[in-house]
Amino acid sequence: MQKPQVLIGAATSGSGKTTFTLGLLRLLRKRGMKVQPFKCGPDYIDTKHHAMAAGEEAVNLDTFMASARHVRQIYTRYGTECDVCVTEGVMGLFDGYDKMRGSSAEIAGLLGIPVVLVLNAKSTAYSVAPVLYGFMHFRPELRVVGAIFNFVASESHYAYLRGACEDVGIEALGYIPRDERIVIPSRHLGLSIDESVCFDEFADTVAAVIAKTVNVDRLLELCTVDFPGQEVREESRQGNKRIAVARDEAFNFMYRENLEALKREGEVVFFSPLRDTVLPEADLIYLPGGYPELFLPGLSGNEGMRQALRAYCETGGRLLAECGGMMYLCEHITGTDGVTYSMVGVLRQEATMEQMKLKLGYREVVLGDKTIRGHEFHYSRVKPGTVGGANGVKVYNAKGEKVDTPVYRYKNVVASYIHFYWGEGRMEQLLDMLL
């Protein structure tokens, strides 16, 4: 079986991968095609935008947090029923956590996906030729089939770029003009979303632009290759647990495969720390990351939910909290404005958004001969309190260097800045390891 499959790569971050991907997803959706979006790496923000543009929830493909076998399985599983698979790369095409390891190029090679490069053409013309040549020939086993240029000033500017492609032997598939309407401000690629920007409208605008300036039909033709085939599903390991997952505007950073793994444990129900005043009956609670710092008055004002969570944890309830969810369990959160708000109070410490500094990277948590991997990405920090760490746990980065990211434990609560990935296994294995 063949179908269009494309990985949108770039020479560097900031080239326009996300902009073009959102526009392409929306344009294909408008054509009546069923599109399955994927995202290379651990990002849980781009995937939300993909879902909005495509009308289909995106899936992370990450070869640090999961095995190559698992990545192939989920690509096949989610891509089988769609008309076209669109994968957005991460950083530059060959940028990984260790040379090419974990890079978009590694994913493209693993899955046999053709690559279309998006290049920033601002203040350059024929000099894109050696750049394209290098990307085409650095790893000949990769199929770099076409190029799209961003920030193009005019048709004459694009003519120079097209000539460079002809001399290199790669197809020029079109361009994205300089247009303030289709520039995502840098803060939207970070941890906050400006509510004044409507990403649904944004995707429509980009789709309309690229419909005029990009040869999408040719892109699909060049990227139509053999699909891996129908996945052979393993026997379901359906359990009988009831798992409550926080999901609302404040808490929504979660990997799709993590939720699928929870469904194998039993019934998954959702609740809102912003609006619900009581917890659903549950054997296990998951507080994912998100934007609690944008909803501090609402979270603090919902005393019913704060008390319910505190009572659940104090009586031995099993709970996993990640990043924003961990902050919510603290006694207080101080916002960027310096105002401090009361939170759940299970973890005797304070989180603050003051003096923000980005901390990010892959993490491997080791306890004896057991390991679990994940990703850390936040601007907040925790002021040390009295809460202890999980006994014997060591945390390393992707290069095997020890890092100071804590994994907190209180009764049957595990909390950390780390967004864990258990899509290849079971959340219970993670908790059993740490409790």
Side-chain angles (χ1 to χ4, degrees), residues 15 35 42 46 57 113 155 165 204 225 262 329 350 382 406 422:
S15 298
V35 189
D46 281 348
E57 193 172 352
I113 309 173
E155 284 282 356
C165 288
D204 278 339
V225 293
L262 291 184
L329 288 185
E350 178 184 337
V382 168
W422 62 83

Side-chain angles (χ1 to χ4, degrees), residues 377-396:
F377 182 18
H378 58 93
Y379 286 98
S380 67
R381 59 189 173 90
V382 168
K383 296 180 180 179
T386 60
V387 62
N391 291 333
V393 167
K394 297 178 181 179
V395 183
Y396 301 90

Side-chain angles (χ1 to χ4, degrees), residues 33-46:
M33 302 180 76
K34 183 176 181 181
V35 189
Q36 177 58 61
F38 297 91
K39 172 65 182 180
C40 294
D43 189 284
Y44 24 76
I45 299 175
D46 281 348

